[in-house]
């Protein structure tokens, strides 16, 4: 490093202490320090990331210089962990203790000089150390980041952070020197560089418009330079060195001058906090994942938006600021995709932000102060201004509340923004034209910004802003442009997509010969096919990259169309026509454009285009002989010197409508009868007939509304010339009245509104319904029935805007006359055409607004309700189980199920085999396709469909299914072993036999099934006993893929949770002990990397093998599954370089709807994004393992990985290695910090024997092993039981006492059952007997500190209820409590405030016993209850819950039978069998029965006859197992059991129910699902 002789110096506080230049670090700094900041001891402090980069070279340079000048000075060095977490009291104390230590020999003294080398954290921290050490010593700032260079290093502010907020403890302490070596910028990452640019933009925005213009002009050059790989050489910045130096110096001088004038922040220095009041609030929530500059960028936009809302800043100036920030790729919204991803989708509610802002140092008590801009380079005051909380809240909130208040006799003049239609056309024409053109009143909106950015990417012109952003100077290149190397992302800007599709054909090739146009998901479904067809027919080469007929498009550069005759279908959008017209002069020959297919839509817009083309020098001729035909000559546009854009006539309808609905007056001064826009006639054609007074001149429109509540309906109006305005007309029509009572408005001519930002006609109907307004959709319009104002309700769950600006603005008009406040969701969507609309309502019309967060409202929009869920289509081979699974899905989701094959047969009147025989396969496929198409079109929501196996044979059907999937629906592929399917099909005669080899059919169809579907479920052959488990597994799967699963929430609610890591190579081989292994685990981890494919023992397992293993595991366990592919570098066995294979396995997991997917953070960024973008409702566990122990919990090295994991994970898993116990303490401190910083749950543990304590302390989803497994997944892994034992020893799990209350209880087997289960699961609890028959005797027991819960038997099952806080629904219905559960999360009604809940698990034990014996509720059918006592009530409840019905009751006493039956609701479908004749008349013979009569007594003769007939009835289903559950414990074989067995019924002894009800009791008490076998053994011994 050479010595710079003449670096630039900047004065601050009267001294030239700031030195700026390239390559001054090293010898120059050493010389300057020794000469001007002399000391015998210098302490250089930096962080561990920078130490090796910069310290060794400086030490060498310092030593050389001290020798040269003969100085007796020493240089000490110290390093701290990087990151904001080091900016703490603890780090400060560590540094001070180190400096005071005798080991420094001698310790540092009052003459010591500290050198702070680093970014803002180092500068703030070390400056504060200097300010307090020995009551203040000198220090020097050497900022290494751009952010620190232009901001934190200058001004003497020093501080540390506390839990209460950032920078709350500190001091003003000016550095002796600030050395800004711009060479450090070469080593900055792109993100850190951009982070610093936020402060550069900030200082220009508040003080220097010239510097701001330099930033705007050079954004592309600077961004290209900083996106190059970071280097220590000059190469990266060689092209922008002087610009960067100028910008840095500009920022430094601004800050230095402000600090010099106001060192202690008395007022002027507040200006440097522009963007910081709100930005710091975001930073306080999002740090460290989101950087300071990124938060400040968001803060600047919001604070400037606040300035516009308050009327101090123009929309043009705000737009200019936003564009400048965006050009440096800084976030301009909290919804920025990168911000969301990097922060782990952390919520920043308005309440949180306001709370953080409440401790801002600039505040005046409770009054918040914010720097308000009045223009670029100017502020409203020379200090921060006091702003009301209500106004801040409006800007911060994601939604807005409109109050129904408008001042009467108001006369408003309102100028809407420039027309979007004219703005977009003017931009295209000016770019295609030659010479400069000053465009005034250009709309500043999302749409025009997209257009501007894309035209700049195509190098069609240069753009400069003048007059504070009010004038855009376009210097067109006369149609000469080049392809864009970057994709042209158009968001949801439909106009831009259509215009640019044709414009892109004019481009010339550069490094590539095509441009790509793309957009968001909505854009990808909007039509563009007719335009593309016309262009391709005229020689353009355009390829659809995804869906046919929509973006994205690949457009080849062809320097213009061929020209000549062009035919275009113009019945969908007039923008197709305008796009071709504007580009036609640059075709290779004159163009004749014929609009075919009928009358073109929106002719007014076509005429507007023609008129504007004439203004730019090209006149088109409309054919006099051919209808809808235009002749366009060749030529070049010549730009007018100035072009003034009219206000947007569609937007003008909203303020005019406010006047109409409120009875006030509004004038729009620059839209009149001579307007180019069709919507300019809205006042005359719509408002005047509705009863308004309209005055319209050539250039202005004034509307005065009638008396409030007297608007008249429009019986019929064709709005084809102003289709966008139909929404405004519709909300006014909602409150019209007519003398005859028929207040119906009929609007037609608006068919194109179905393909705008959303289906606006449907949206209008659905949202008006929320106001109690009835509408009907027409083919090309809508009918609205007007209602009185006092009937106009405010939507409970707000107005859903569909991200559509016109819906939001229309309903804000209607809200002014609703009965109560109206919540408008997605308030920011108005930015598309009128970003300042809410400002206009508040400032011009005096409307009261308030901000609202969507999280505040518990209700959801109807579009997300269960009935609005997209329908599910089930596909797969015949015999795969589609019908069975479809029935399950319908039952689970409470939606109707339709088998499309059955529906086709019903519709055609013949069976499918007969249909094929009669009309052939082709005819059948056409009928099948028609049924599919109508189902998707007519029932897109709330239905379950099972498709025929061959539906995928049709390309059109596959496209329909894929489109349904892409629009948010579920297409579920049911898989089954093909050999099993083939066996089934050989016996199935209900469908036609295959005309070809079945295996060949499968191999052809399988890729098609995958192509159409987004989920797959592996259906396995199940015997009756396995059906219950299979249906439960499918229910878990379905709830996961539909987003209804609460697995993560349930686990988070537990005090301790675990997942067991399966270390098996083959799941079927582990089935004998799998149930035992998962006991006490809240999830099970499938370690895919440990599986061994039977076809390839050495290599990674195949996708098909893993799918089968996963399916077997799912049907064998009843807990969530974690799908893990652990790579070798992370401690597993999967190859690190097999990225494609790992991706395919992850895709399988997501398609299979696993609950959790472990995703390693060491994977490349693009792979992580690819997986997380398709994760659906599966939760991601973002993991990183350090098996080598290279990282430390105490030095901040885990923070970057933690931050990365937050971007991708719903759960973060970090696994280090412990070499000593102190490592566990450091981990615990890290875990505590992470929990306090973010809501995302963290698994953080250490491997190794030394790390076992960390596993005990982890608490959330700790990975565990089990003695039955072949080996442990990681060193030091414990079982769940061992961890609970450890927690018990530490007092975390406290020993509780459980009881059985009742009499007699001495012979009970419950103590054996529960004490055995406590011991097996590692719990310290005890279960004992309390023989009592008076309920008052248990009061003191219930209040005891160690009471954990109880079982209850006779005679207390009813009376115990009076001592409980609540009783569950099942216990109330049965009329008995047999289980008391202590809930520590709720407060009881009496001291000691324990909350006790009464449950009944008898019925659950009955259900479990029946299901275990193969009685499956899905089969339905009737069931029988024998007896009428208390147990009979539990039996009735159990059978009803299993789905049986009707339920027959037989008993000895007719009155008791009647009493029991009448005590249950009608839906239980109870029927009395009072005689043998009743039994003989049955047609639905019960297949399940529960006996509740005494087992040691003879059966009543009449009952016996009834039972014998039922047991032996020939009407019973011989194919279905019939089962009797005998509730009597003794004798071993009761008379009732003998009677049933003699008839061939299977019987179950009552002790099974005792085991079952105890099984569920244990679950309620502990949250642990035990192994039923263990409970059974404890009750029944080893008896079979």
């Amino acid at each position: 490093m050479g010595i710079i002789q003449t670096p630039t110096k900047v004065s601050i506080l009267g001294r030239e202490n700031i030195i700026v230049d390239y390559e001054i670090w090293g010898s120059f700094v050493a010389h300057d320090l020794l000469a001007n900041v002399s000391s015998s001891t210098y302490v250089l402090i930096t962080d561990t990331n920078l130490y090796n980069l910069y310290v060794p070279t400086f030490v060498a340079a310092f030593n050389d210089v001290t020798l040269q000048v003969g100085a007796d000075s020493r240089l000490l060095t110290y390093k701290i962990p990087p990151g904001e977490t080091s900016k703490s009291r603890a780090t400060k104390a560590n540094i001070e203790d180190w400096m005071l230590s005798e080991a420094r020999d001698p310790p540092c003294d009052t003459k010591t000089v500290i050198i702070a080398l680093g970014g803002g954290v180092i500068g703030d921290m070390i400056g504060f150390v200097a300010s307090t050490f020995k009551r203040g010593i000198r220090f020097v700032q050497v900022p290494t980041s751009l952010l620190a260079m232009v901001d934190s290093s200058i001004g003497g502010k020093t501080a540390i952070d506390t839990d209460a907020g950032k920078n709350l403890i500190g001091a003003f302490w000016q550095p002796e020197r600030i050395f800004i070596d711009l060479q450090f910028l070469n080593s900055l990452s792109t993100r850190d560089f951009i982070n610093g640019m936020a402060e550069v933009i900030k200082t220009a925005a508040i003080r220097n418009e010239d510097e701001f213009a330099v930033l705007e002009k050079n954004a592309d050059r600077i961004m290209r330079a900083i996106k190059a790989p970071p280097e220590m050489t000059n190469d990266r910045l060689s092209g922008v060195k002087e610009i960067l130096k100028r910008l840095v110096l500009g920022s430094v001088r601004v800050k230095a001058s402000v600090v010099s004038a106001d060192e202690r922040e008395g007022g002027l220095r507040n200006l440097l906090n522009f963007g910081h009041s709100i930005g710091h609030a975001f930073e306080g929530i999002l740090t460290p994942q989101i950087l300071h500059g990124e938060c400040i960028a968001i803060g600047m936009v919001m604070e400037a938006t606040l300035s516009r809302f308050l009327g101090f800043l123009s929309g043009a100036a705000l737009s200019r600021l936003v564009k400048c920030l965006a050009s440096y790729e800084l976030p301009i919204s909290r919804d920025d995709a990168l911000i969301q991803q990097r922060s782990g989708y952390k919520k920043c509610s308005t309440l949180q932000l306001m709370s953080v802002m409440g401790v801002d140092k600039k505040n005046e008590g409770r009054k918040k102060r914010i720097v308000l801009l009045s223009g670029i380079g100017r502020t409203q005051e020379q200090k921060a201004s006091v702003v009301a909380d209500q106004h801040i809240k409006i800007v911060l909130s994601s939604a807005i509340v409109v109050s129904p208040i408008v001042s009467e006799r108001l006369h408003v003049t309102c100028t809407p923004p420039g027309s979007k239609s004219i703005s977009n056309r003017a931009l295209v024409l000016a770019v295609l034209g030659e010479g400069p053109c000053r465009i005034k009143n250009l709309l500043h909106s999302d749409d025009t910004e997209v257009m501007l950015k894309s035209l700049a990417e195509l190098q069609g012109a240069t753009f400069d802003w003048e007059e504070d952003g009010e004038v855009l100077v376009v210097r067109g290149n006369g149609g000469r442009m080049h392809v864009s190397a970057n994709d042209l992302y158009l968001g949801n800007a439909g106009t831009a997509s259509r215009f640019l599709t044709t414009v892109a054909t004019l481009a010339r090739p550069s490094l590539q010969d095509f441009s790509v146009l793309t957009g968001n998901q909505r854009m990808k479904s909007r039509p563009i096919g007719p335009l593309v067809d016309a262009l391709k027919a005229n020689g353009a080469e355009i390829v659809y990259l995804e869906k046919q007929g929509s973006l994205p498009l690949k457009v080849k550069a062809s320097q213009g169309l061929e020209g000549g005759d062009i035919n275009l279908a113009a019945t969908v959008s007039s923008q197709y026509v305008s796009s071709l017209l504007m580009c036609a002069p640059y075709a290779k020959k004159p163009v004749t454009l014929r609009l075919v297919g009928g009358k073109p839509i929106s002719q007014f817009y076509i005429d507007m285009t023609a008129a504007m083309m004439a203004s730019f020098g090209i006149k088109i001729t409309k054919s006099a002989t051919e209808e809808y035909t235009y002749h366009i000559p060749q030529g070049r546009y010549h730009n007018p010197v100035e072009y003034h854009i009219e206000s947007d006539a569609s937007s003008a309808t909203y303020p005019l409508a406010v006047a109409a609905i409120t009875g006030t007056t509004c004038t729009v001064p620059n839209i009149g009868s001579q307007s180019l826009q069709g919507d300019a006639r809205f006042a005359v054609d719509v408002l005047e007939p509705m009863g308004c007074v309209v005055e319209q001149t050539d250039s202005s429109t004034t509307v005065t509304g009638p008396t409030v509540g007297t608007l008249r309906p429009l019986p019929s109006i064709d709005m084809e010339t102003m289709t966008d305005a139909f929404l405004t007309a519709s909300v006014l029509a909602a409150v019209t009245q007519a003398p005859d009572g028929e207040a119906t408005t009929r609007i037609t001519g608006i068919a194109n509104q179905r393909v705008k930002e959303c289906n606006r006609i449907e949206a209008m109907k659905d949202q008006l319904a929320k106001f109690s307004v009835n509408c009907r959709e027409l083919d090309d319009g809508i009918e609205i029935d007007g209602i009185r104002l006092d009937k106009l309700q405010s939507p409970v769950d707000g107005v859903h805007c569909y991200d559509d600006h016109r819906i939001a603005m229309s309903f804000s008009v209607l809200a002014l006359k609703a009965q109560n406040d109206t919540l408008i969701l997605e308030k920011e969507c108005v930015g598309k055409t009128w970003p300042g609309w809410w400002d206009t309502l508040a400032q011009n019309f005096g409307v009261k607004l308030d901000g609202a967060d969507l999280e505040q409202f518990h209700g959801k929009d109807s579009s997300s309700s269960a009935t609005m869920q997209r329908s599910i289509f089930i596909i797969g081979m015949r015999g795969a189980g589609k019908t069975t699974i479809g029935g399950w899905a319908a039952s689970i989701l409470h939606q109707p199920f339709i088998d499309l094959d059955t529906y086709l047969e019903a519709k055609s009147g013949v069976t499918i085999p007969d249909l094929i025989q009669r009309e052939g396969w082709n005819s059948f496929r056409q009928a099948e396709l028609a049924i599919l198409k109508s189902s998707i079109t007519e029932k897109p929501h709330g239905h379950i469909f099972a498709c025929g196996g061959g539906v995928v044979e049709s390309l059109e059907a596959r496209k329909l299914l894929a489109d349904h999937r892409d629009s948010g629906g579920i297409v579920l592929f049911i898989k089954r072993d093909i050999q099993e399917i083939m066996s089934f099909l050989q016996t199935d005669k209900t469908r036609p036999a295959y005309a070809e080899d079945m295996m060949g059919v499968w191999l052809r169809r399988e890729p098609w099934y995958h192509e159409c579907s987004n989920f797959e479920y592996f259906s396995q052959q199940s015997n009756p006993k396995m059906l219950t488990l299979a249906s439960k597994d499918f229910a878990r799967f379905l709830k996961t893929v539909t987003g209804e699963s609460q697995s993560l929430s349930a686990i988070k609610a537990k005090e301790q949770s675990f997942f067991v890591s399966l270390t098996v190579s083959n799941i079927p081989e582990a089935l004998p002990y799998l149930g035992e292994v998962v006991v006490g685990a809240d999830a099970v981890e499938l370690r895919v990397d440990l599986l061994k494919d039977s076809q390839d023992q050495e290599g990674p397992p195949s996708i098909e093998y893993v799918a089968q293993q996963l399916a077997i595991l799912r049907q064998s366990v009843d807990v969530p599954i974690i799908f893990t592919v652990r790579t070798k570098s992370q401690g597993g066995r999967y190859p690190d370089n097999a990225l494609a294979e790992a991706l395919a396995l992850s895709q399988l997991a997501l398609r299979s709807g696993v609950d959790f997917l472990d995703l390693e953070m060491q994977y490349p960024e693009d792979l992580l994004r690819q997986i997380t973008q398709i994760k659906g409702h599966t939760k991601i566990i973002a993991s990183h393992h350090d098996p080598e122990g290279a990282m430390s919990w105490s030095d901040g090295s885990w923070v970057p990985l933690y931050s990365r994991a937050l971007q991708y994970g719903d759960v973060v898993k970090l696994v280090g290695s412990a070499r000593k116990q102190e490592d566990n303490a450091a981990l615990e401190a890290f875990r505590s910090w992470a929990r306090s910083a973010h809501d995302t749950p963290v698994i953080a543990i250490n491997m190794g024997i030394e790390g076992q304590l960390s596993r005990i302390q982890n608490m959330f989803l700790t990975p565990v092993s089990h003695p039955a497994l072949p080996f442990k997944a990681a060193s030091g892994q414990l079982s769940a039981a061992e961890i609970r034992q450890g927690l018990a020893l530490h007092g975390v799990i406290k020993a509780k006492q459980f009881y059985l209350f009742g009499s007699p209880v001495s012979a009970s087997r419950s103590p054996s059952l529960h004490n055995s289960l406590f011991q097996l699961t590692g719990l310290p609890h005890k279960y004992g007997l309390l023989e009592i028959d008076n309920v008052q005797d248990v009061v003191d027991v219930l209040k005891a500190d160690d009471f954990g819960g109880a079982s209850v038997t006779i005679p207390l099952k009813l009376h115990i209820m009076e001592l409980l806080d609540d009783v569950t629904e099942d216990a109330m219905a049965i009329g008995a409590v047999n289980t008391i559960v202590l809930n520590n999360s709720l407060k009881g009604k009496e001291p000691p405030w324990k909350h006790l809940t009464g449950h009944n698990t008898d019925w659950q034990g009955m259900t479990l016993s029946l299901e275990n014996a193969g009685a499956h509720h899905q089969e339905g059918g009737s069931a029988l209850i024998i007896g009428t006592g208390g147990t009979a009530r539990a039996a009735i409840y159990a059978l009803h819950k299993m789905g049986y019905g009707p339920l027959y009751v037989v008993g000895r006493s007719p009155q008791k039978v009647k009493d029991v039956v009448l005590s249950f609701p009608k839906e239980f479908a109870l029927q009395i069998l009072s005689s043998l004749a009743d039994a003989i008349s049955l047609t639905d013979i019960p297949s399940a029965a529960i006996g509740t009569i005494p087992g040691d007594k003879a059966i009543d003769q009449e009952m016996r006859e009834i039972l014998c007939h039922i047991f032996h009835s020939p009407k019973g289903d011989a194919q279905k197992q019939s089962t009797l559950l005998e509730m009597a414990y003794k004798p071993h074989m009761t008379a009732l059991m003998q009677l049933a067995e003699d008839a061939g019924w299977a019987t179950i002894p009552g002790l099974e129910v005792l085991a079952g009800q105890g099984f569920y009791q244990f679950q309620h008490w502990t949250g642990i699902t035990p192994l039923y076998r263990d409970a059974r053994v404890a009750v029944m011994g080893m008896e079979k």
Side-chain angles (χ1 to χ4, degrees), residues 1450 1472-1480 1502 1506:
V1450 60
I1472 300 173
L1473 296 180
S1474 57
S1475 66
L1476 178 60
D1478 289 344
I1480 293 171
E1502 190 171 4
I1506 293 171

Side-chain angles (χ1 to χ4, degrees), residues 815-838:
L816 298 179
K817 286 302 168 187
Q819 291 299 297
N820 299 295
D821 292 351
T822 299
L823 172 68
I824 308 285
L825 310 175
E826 310 149 273
K827 75 176 175 72
E828 298 300 331
C829 66
V830 299
K832 193 175 181 73
T833 49
W834 199 339
W837 169 244
W838 307 116

Side-chain angles (χ1 to χ4, degrees), residues 767 770-771 795 797-801 807 811 822-826:
Q767 299 309 306
K770 296 180 179 182
F771 288 83
D797 50 9
V799 175
H800 178 43
C801 300
I807 289 177
F811 279 97
T822 299
L823 172 68
I824 308 285
L825 310 175
E826 310 149 273

Side-chain angles (χ1 to χ4, degrees), residues 337-655:
L338 271 179
I339 295 293
Q340 292 287 302
Q341 189 182 62
R342 285 170 175 162
S343 68
Y345 299 89
K346 191 167 187 180
K347 300 292 184 186
C348 294
S349 71
T350 301
L351 187 63
Q352 286 176 293
L353 293 166
M354 294 292 283
S355 175
V356 178
M357 290 178 71
V359 295
D360 193 300
K361 300 183 297 297
K362 297 186 299 300
N363 293 348
E364 293 179 1
R366 293 182 179 274
K367 296 179 180 178
K368 297 179 176 64
R369 296 169 67 209
I370 292 176
V371 177
L372 299 174
L373 287 187
S374 58
I376 299 300
R378 307 187 303 280
T379 54
Q380 177 65 15
E381 296 184 83
Q382 291 301 295
K383 61 180 181 179
S385 304
V386 173
V387 181
D389 280 6
Q390 181 188 357
H391 295 151
I392 300 171
K393 188 180 173 186
I394 288 170
V395 170
L396 293 180
S397 299
S398 52
I400 197 160
V401 176
V402 181
S403 295
I405 302 171
V406 171
S407 303
E408 294 183 8
R409 294 181 298 279
L410 202 64
H411 193 142
V412 169
T413 297
C414 177
T415 305
S419 160
K420 183 180 77 160
S421 300
I422 298 177
S423 291
N424 278 314
R425 285 165 172 79
L427 286 172
V428 171
L429 292 170
V431 165
L432 295 180
E434 291 182 327
C437 178
R438 290 167 53 82
I439 300 179
K440 292 186 174 182
N441 199 36
L442 181 76
L443 173 66
H444 293 277
S445 73
D446 300 343
D447 272 25
T448 52
E449 179 56 31
V450 162
M451 181 68 85
L452 261 174
K453 189 173 181 180
S454 298
L455 291 170
E457 286 274 0
L458 291 167
Q459 302 168 52
T462 61
F463 304 94
D464 292 292
W465 292 99
E466 294 181 354
E467 298 181 23
D468 217 3
E470 298 290 346
V471 175
L472 176 67
V473 180
V474 182
R475 293 177 177 84
N477 293 335
R480 294 177 289 276
M481 55 187 71
H482 294 82
V483 297
S484 171
N486 302 312
D487 289 0
L488 300 178
Y489 180 77
L490 309 179
N492 195 23
T495 306
S497 72
R498 287 151 185 165
F499 288 2
L500 290 170
T501 296
T502 310
V503 169
T505 65
L506 304 180
R508 304 175 182 205
S510 52
L511 295 177
Q512 62 190 42
D513 64 352
F514 62 87
S515 298
V516 172
L517 279 65
T518 188
N520 63 15
Q521 282 303 120
R522 173 60 186 162
M523 177 58 73
K524 290 181 179 182
S525 65
R526 296 178 70 175
I528 202 164
L531 176 60
V532 171
D533 291 344
L535 292 172
K536 289 170 74 172
N538 201 249
E541 294 184 35
I542 303 175
V543 177
Y544 293 113
L545 296 180
E546 292 180 17
K547 181 181 173 183
Q548 289 289 310
S550 298
L551 267 61
L553 304 174
K554 180 178 177 181
V555 183
K556 187 172 182 180
S558 52
Q559 300 179 53
L561 299 171
E562 291 300 318
D565 290 353
I566 300 178
N567 293 333
L568 173 67
T571 55
V572 175
S573 173
S574 64
Q575 291 173 359
Y576 300 156
V577 184
S578 294
S579 179
L580 271 167
L581 286 175
M582 288 189 290
C583 294
Y586 292 92
K588 297 176 177 65
K589 52 188 177 184
V591 170
T592 295
L593 177 61
R594 293 183 178 86
L595 307 183
V596 298
K599 181 184 177 183
I601 197 160
S602 303
Q603 178 68 44
F604 226 97
Y605 287 105
I606 300 173
D607 297 341
M608 173 197 292
T609 303
M612 290 183 66
M613 288 171 66
S615 298
F616 282 79
I618 297 289
K619 293 186 177 180
I620 67 175
T621 304
K622 191 171 184 180
S623 174
T625 58
E626 293 183 77
E627 195 175 29
Y628 313 133
T629 300
Y630 299 86
H631 302 290
I632 307 98
Q634 285 179 291
R636 290 198 177 277
Y637 293 110
H638 296 283
N639 287 336
V641 174
E642 188 169 286
Y643 192 87
H644 194 281
I645 292 174
E646 287 182 8
S647 287
D648 184 64
S650 297
S651 296
T653 64
Y654 308 119

Side-chain angles (χ1 to χ4, degrees), residues 662-679:
T662 61
T664 56
T665 300
C666 177
T667 297
V668 175
N670 63 345
I671 296 177
S673 58
Q674 295 303 305
S675 170
L676 293 172
Q677 305 169 73
D679 291 20

